[in-house]
Amino acid sequence: MSLTGTPFFVALIVATVVAMVGTITLWARIRGPRPVRWLAHAAMIGLCQLTAISVVATWINNSYGLYASWDDLMGNTDNTNAVAMPGPPAQRAKFNHSTKGGVLDTYFHGQKSALSGQVLVWKPPQYDEPAYKNKRFPVIMLLHGVPGSPQSWLEHGGMPGAFSNLLKQNKVHPFILVMPVVNPGSVDTDCTDLPNRKVATWMSVDVPDLIRHKFRTLRGAGGWGVMGFSTGGFCAAKLPLQYSKVFGASAALDPDPLTGDESVLPNPTVRRRNSPTYLVRHTKSHVSLFLATSREDRLSPPSYITQFQAAAASSPVTVRTLFLPNGGHNYNTWSAEYPSAFAWLSQWLSAPH
């Protein structure tokens, strides 16, 4: 039974209910000396707590994608063999309808990166309207944090409802929203290509190839953007600098340290050369980046962004910043940054045509 599957989660809920009902029913029927009764009652209480905690822990794991399998939970995975990751290629990937907001869901194997993972897609209402049947649409890739999963955007990030509201208010133009996993196989590389884990290639080659194959999308970087929070914000700041022919603009919300995270990339050379602050100093690309955080966010303080802004001063990169006065490193803060971030992306990326 899969660790992340619905049957396992339902089985735990049933076990919790059975344990509670059994405890209530049998509590007064336990016979024997007082120490024996105490021991039996303690075991019954412990079983109830164990099953209840297991339900909560499984719900958290399913929501945030902490562990993908039993082997992953037990530490038995061999994450160096990315080629062994299963899944259909982009051409054969099938999208299933989600129950929330018309979101489509698929799992596929990237040809270039040899990585596999989940991708969620939401199409704006205009996509299926007769007036737009011959039009191609711009794309925004939404990148979650770590720990997290593509579902984090739906369950905690308010998508696609938050974007739909901005669209109805004519504050943005229609985009296809794409939510890929940023850590295939539950291995975080800060969206960096490592010898056996080419996550940057997954994000910038394989996922765009899938979306272009399945949907009417605009060609060229002027129709493709990236937006992310936390670790996803770090990725959003760096990917256009490395892949300017793919992504023309991005929005980084409360990003991780823009000079790189030692706990993710221990090698100092690899970490430095894949950090947004280093990349923006050495780029010749004309991309547009929006960076936002809260002055109260201790995990992503304004100093990260001001340091990056100083590094970008002599580059051709267009940078805009936003510092909210209040808010921590959480979805309430990121949601408050959505209107400015999406408006920025609408300003720099093409409308459907």
Side-chain angles (χ1 to χ4, degrees):
M1 191 178 291
S2 171
L3 174 64
T4 58
T6 300
F8 177 66
F9 186 58
V10 172
L12 284 177
I13 294 175
V14 172
T16 302
V17 173
V18 170
M20 292 175 60
V21 172
T23 298
I24 295 171
T25 303
L26 300 176
W27 186 271
R29 300 183 182 181
I30 301 297
R31 297 291 184 263
R34 180 175 296 179
V36 173
R37 296 199 305 270
W38 284 354
L39 182 61
H41 290 161
M44 294 162 71
I45 294 172
L47 180 62
C48 289
Q49 291 180 329
L50 177 62
T51 54
I53 291 172
S54 297
V55 168
V56 174
T58 301
W59 176 78
I60 292 173
N61 184 65
N62 291 346
S63 297
Y64 290 94
L66 303 178
Y67 299 99
S69 65
W70 291 107
D71 285 337
D72 189 18
L73 176 65
M74 303 304 294
N76 296 328
T77 54
D78 180 8
N79 288 314
T80 61
N81 190 10
V83 179
M85 295 184 73
Q91 295 80 358
R92 298 206 314 267
K94 305 236 181 240
F95 280 91
N96 299 314
H97 282 275
S98 169
T99 57
K100 184 170 184 178
V103 175
L104 305 173
D105 181 3
T106 195
Y107 186 96
F108 86 109
H109 181 78
Q111 181 180 3
K112 298 296 184 181
S113 67
L115 297 174
S116 300
Q118 182 185 36
V119 180
L120 305 181
V121 176
W122 177 82
K123 300 179 298 180
Q126 293 83 354
Y127 188 91
D128 295 316
E129 293 178 357
Y132 286 82
K133 67 178 182 179
N134 295 321
K135 295 184 183 291
R136 293 181 174 272
F137 281 72
V139 177
I140 297 178
M141 287 177 51
L142 301 180
L143 311 183
H144 61 83
V146 176
S149 71
Q151 284 94 339
S152 300
W153 284 101
L154 310 184
E155 297 174 1
H156 309 290
M159 293 296 166
F163 180 81
S164 293
N165 291 336
L166 295 174
L167 188 58
K168 292 175 183 176
Q169 298 167 21
N170 295 318
K171 294 183 178 180
V172 296
H173 55 243
F175 285 96
I176 296 173
L177 303 182
V178 177
M179 293 155 271
V181 62
V182 306
N183 55 336
S186 300
V187 178
D188 180 21
T189 71
D190 273 346
C191 297
T192 298
D193 271 0
L194 299 179
N196 296 305
R197 183 68 49 173
K198 297 186 180 300
V199 179
T201 299
W202 161 261
M203 302 295 304
S204 301
V205 180
D206 289 333
V207 174
D209 281 351
L210 169 73
I211 303 306
R212 294 188 192 103
H213 184 78
K214 299 292 184 178
F215 302 94
R216 302 191 312 272
T217 64
L218 290 175
R219 299 180 178 91
W224 286 74
V226 195
M227 177 171 145
F229 55 77
S230 195
T231 299
F234 177 95
C235 297
K238 111 187 185 77
L239 289 175
L241 298 172
Q242 289 182 310
Y243 297 88
S244 59
K245 293 183 179 180
V246 179
F247 305 112
S250 72
L253 311 183
D254 297 58
D256 286 352
L258 296 171
T259 52
D261 188 340
E262 183 178 357
S263 66
V264 176
L265 297 176
N267 185 302
T269 302
V270 172
R271 183 171 67 251
R272 178 171 58 89
R273 290 184 176 274
N274 283 278
S275 70
T277 302
Y278 173 88
L279 292 167
V280 79
R281 286 195 184 102
H282 297 85
T283 188
K284 297 181 180 178
S285 302
H286 293 266
V287 294
S288 304
L289 307 183
F290 174 90
L291 298 98
T293 192
S294 161
R295 296 190 183 278
E296 294 182 342
D297 189 344
R298 296 182 179 181
L299 297 179
S300 183
S303 60
Y304 290 174
I305 293 177
T306 55
Q307 183 181 10
F308 175 87
Q309 194 174 21
S314 59
S315 76
V317 176
T318 301
V319 178
R320 180 184 172 185
T321 62
L322 171 66
F323 301 112
L324 298 180
N326 308 109
H329 200 74
N330 55 55
Y331 289 95
N332 290 331
T333 301
W334 304 328
S335 296
E337 295 163 351
Y338 287 171
S340 298
F342 280 118
W344 170 265
L345 293 171
S346 288
Q347 175 184 345
W348 288 98
L349 298 176
S350 299
H353 64 268

